Amino acid sequence: MHDEATRREKVHALAGLLWPAMVLVQLVLFAHASRGGAVTFLPWAEGHLVFAPWLMAIVGAALVTWLGLSAALRFRFGRDPSMRRLRWVVGAASTIFAVIHGWLVWGRITFGGADARALWVMSVDSLSHTGPAWGYAFGAAALALQLEQSAAVASEVFAFPRRERNRLWYRLLAIVLSALLLLLAYDGLAALIGGQPLLGGAG
């Protein structure tokens, strides 16, 4: 039985849930808006560009907090030592992807002055190359796995749920949610990369 988690561990667990969830949900929305090509993407992007600086600030603060506390906690990543190595690898991969994606999307808007059409052209151009396309495929998968593992860390740190059977349902729900978000992200990314979404519709 673990002793009670410290405040530092609890803040680390909450920050670890926030940043991958926000990046993955944003990627899902970004990809979903791309399913119909520029016709659907441009109106969506024009209505959401104003949120880019706020998203960048919130996710950046959560990510920096998580990374700083990870170092302070000696990269324990929860209270299960058997999962430490996997969580270290997943955390490194998802962090790199989140930073690159954040700069390519939110950074271009916030600091580069990109409008909706420029963002669409740059996204399609970038993902038309094999390297970036595979990078986004693996990056989205790393984010989904990071979110699932962050949910597991939060469960360990907060000792929630209390009953073992409920804890299994909680883990299953986290896995299903992460997999669903990944599928939705891939659906829209397929429209950007290949011109046709995975789940039908006009690319």
Side-chain angles (χ1 to χ4, degrees):
M1 186 74 177
H2 290 298
D3 56 337
E4 187 174 353
T6 65
R7 181 179 298 179
R8 183 179 290 180
E9 286 178 303
K10 291 178 179 178
V11 173
H12 179 251
L14 291 175
L17 269 175
L18 180 60
W19 73 265
M22 286 191 67
V23 177
L24 189 56
V25 169
Q26 186 275 328
L27 180 61
V28 168
L29 295 175
F30 185 90
H32 180 73
S34 306
R35 293 183 81 251
V39 174
T40 56
F41 179 83
L42 295 180
W44 177 85
E46 287 168 357
H48 293 83
L49 290 182
V50 66
F51 299 112
W54 294 101
L55 286 170
M56 196 170 190
I58 295 170
V59 173
L63 181 54
V64 168
T65 299
W66 183 78
L67 288 172
L69 289 175
S70 295
L73 294 168
R74 299 183 180 180
F75 300 99
R76 286 202 299 267
F77 299 115
R79 319 203 99 195
D80 184 354
S82 67
M83 298 297 290
R84 188 175 301 172
R85 182 171 297 179
L86 171 65
R87 288 171 178 170
W88 192 95
V89 173
V90 172
S94 55
T95 297
I96 292 170
F97 175 73
V99 171
I100 293 174
H101 171 70
W103 176 255
L104 290 177
V105 178
W106 305 332
R108 283 171 170 173
I109 298 168
T110 304
F111 302 110
D115 59 10
R117 185 165 294 278
L119 187 60
W120 169 257
V121 171
M122 287 185 289
S123 299
V124 172
D125 180 64
S126 296
L127 293 173
S128 66
H129 301 285
T130 303
W134 277 106
Y136 256 78
F138 282 115
L143 266 182
L145 188 53
Q146 176 67 38
L147 180 59
E148 187 274 326
Q149 285 299 307
S150 292
V153 168
S155 176
E156 294 164 8
V157 169
F158 289 96
F160 173 84
R162 297 288 180 181
R163 297 176 60 185
E164 183 63 30
R165 188 176 68 175
N166 293 339
R167 194 170 299 158
L168 291 174
W169 282 108
Y170 169 86
R171 290 297 305 277
L172 179 61
L173 179 62
I175 292 171
V176 170
L177 176 61
S178 299
L180 178 61
L181 288 174
L182 180 60
L183 175 62
L184 293 175
Y186 279 167
D187 178 52
L189 286 174
L192 280 170
I193 295 170
Q196 180 70 30
L198 290 178
L199 303 179

